[in-house]
Amino acid sequence: MLPAFVIGLREGLEAALIVGIIGAFLSGAGARWALRPVALGVAAAVLLSLAAGAALKVADANLPQRQQEAFETVVALVAVGVITWMIVWMRRHAPTLRETLQRDAKAALVTGSAAALVGMAFFAVLREGLETAVFLLAAFSSSIDPWLTGLGAVLGILVAVALGYGIRGGVRLDLARFFRITGVVLVFVAAGLLASAAHTAHEAGWLNVLQGETLDLSSIVAPGTVRGAVLTGMLGLQPQPVVAEVLAWALYVAVMLPVVLVPASLVRRVRAARQGVPA
């Protein structure tokens, strides 16, 4: 449930930020007439995202077992790739995200382009919706309780919408800190998905090395228990993980966790030192 909640919250907030800031600019500029087409653009993007998610789920369900494992492996790897890109992108842009969105919306208003505002809202929601569909399909595939996973995703999206509405109303949110905290959680979510991909890749016949058992975690990750569901769903831990799963999980965390946790000021100083300019 928690991974799905964080995914829904993280993905939903970026879309809600863009739509909320666009709505605030339109209202403040006396262009409330444009709110309707923006809302229609958002609704169209939501419907397309839901259709894409449903199509992926149907395709997965109708495949033979071996091909299903292969499909789930590909989906998990795509989800890990997109999560990694999102973590790195937000690491660089979160401090200036609000100002960038406001500048783009203001530029569209100055040029009188309502179509640009509708396009911003449509493509923002569509992009986040498609990413969420891929993430959640991967999360559902590795989830013990799909109902709790679905509930977590819905709650995350609702919280994101509430935050987006609050930001439109003037609520201040430290986006850099927010994305750093959720970034830490997503590192472990992505590591779990990568470990699950190693497991399904073996089931699909793609990965037949490093399959020796390493640890017996059955006393901690007990199947059928709440604790086991949380550890499996959140961290991707299996009761008896094999070498490939442990290596995939540990290497991803070792590489990506410092990316999220290293202070931005230190990154700027290192970058400036490499370029030979003052930080």
Side-chain angles (χ1 to χ4, degrees), residues 142-145 148 217-233 237-239:
S142 60
S143 173
I144 296 176
D145 191 335
L148 281 179
L217 302 177
S218 55
S219 61
I220 301 174
V221 190
T225 65
V226 174
R227 182 177 59 189
V230 170
L231 291 175
T232 300
L237 298 181
Q238 300 294 330

Side-chain angles (χ1 to χ4, degrees), residues 15-33:
L17 279 172
I18 296 174
V19 174
I21 290 173
I22 291 172
F25 268 101
L26 290 175
S27 298
R32 298 183 64 87
W33 57 270

Side-chain angles (χ1 to χ4, degrees), residues 83-102:
I83 288 176
T84 304
W85 174 85
M86 182 174 61
I87 289 172
V88 174
W89 190 90
M90 278 297 177
R91 183 78 171 88
R92 293 185 174 183
H93 296 90
T96 59
L97 182 61
R98 188 196 308 269
E99 291 74 16
T100 301
L101 293 175
Q102 290 175 338

Side-chain angles (χ1 to χ4, degrees), residues 23-278:
F25 268 101
L26 290 175
S27 298
R32 298 183 64 87
W33 57 270
L35 290 174
R36 189 182 188 89
V38 167
L40 291 175
V42 170
V46 170
L47 290 176
L48 282 175
S49 299
L50 291 173
L56 286 172
K57 186 62 178 174
V58 170
D60 181 34
N62 290 329
L63 289 172
Q65 181 64 33
R66 196 170 183 125
Q67 284 80 1
Q68 191 176 80
E69 299 290 349
F71 180 76
E72 291 176 2
T73 301
V74 172
V75 169
L77 291 175
V78 170
V80 170
V82 177
I83 288 176
T84 304
W85 174 85
M86 182 174 61
I87 289 172
V88 174
W89 190 90
M90 278 297 177
R91 183 78 171 88
R92 293 185 174 183
H93 296 90
T96 59
L97 182 61
R98 188 196 308 269
E99 291 74 16
T100 301
L101 293 175
Q102 290 175 338
R103 183 177 64 248
D104 292 345
K106 187 174 183 178
L109 276 179
V110 169
T111 59
S113 178
L117 292 169
V118 173
M120 284 176 63
F122 174 80
F123 287 110
V125 175
L126 181 62
R127 183 188 66 193
E128 304 305 327
L130 292 177
E131 290 178 359
T132 302
V134 173
F135 298 157
L136 291 181
L137 180 59
F140 275 113
S141 299
S142 60
S143 173
I144 296 176
D145 191 335
W147 286 105
L148 281 179
T149 300
L151 177 61
V154 170
L155 290 176
I157 293 171
L158 290 177
V159 172
V161 171
L163 286 174
Y165 186 82
I167 290 170
R168 174 187 172 185
V171 173
R172 302 295 296 180
L173 178 66
D174 188 339
L175 294 179
R177 178 174 296 180
F178 172 84
F179 285 120
R180 187 180 303 115
I181 293 171
T182 56
V184 170
V185 177
L186 284 178
V187 165
F188 289 102
V189 170
L193 289 176
L194 196 58
S196 297
H199 178 79
T200 54
H202 174 63
E203 297 292 331
W206 290 356
L207 182 64
N208 296 314
V209 296
L210 303 175
Q211 294 301 311
E213 291 186 3
T214 55
L215 303 169
D216 185 358
L217 302 177
S218 55
S219 61
I220 301 174
V221 190
T225 65
V226 174
R227 182 177 59 189
V230 170
L231 291 175
T232 300
M234 182 65 196
L235 302 179
L237 298 181
Q238 300 294 330
Q240 294 177 319
V242 299
V243 175
E245 295 168 18
V246 172
L247 282 177
W249 190 92
L251 288 174
Y252 188 89
V253 172
V255 171
M256 291 304 301
L257 200 56
V259 172
V260 177
L261 294 179
V262 171
S265 57
L266 178 59
V267 174
R268 286 195 297 269
R269 286 198 297 269
V270 171
R271 190 177 298 146
R274 288 179 177 176
Q275 296 173 352
V277 298

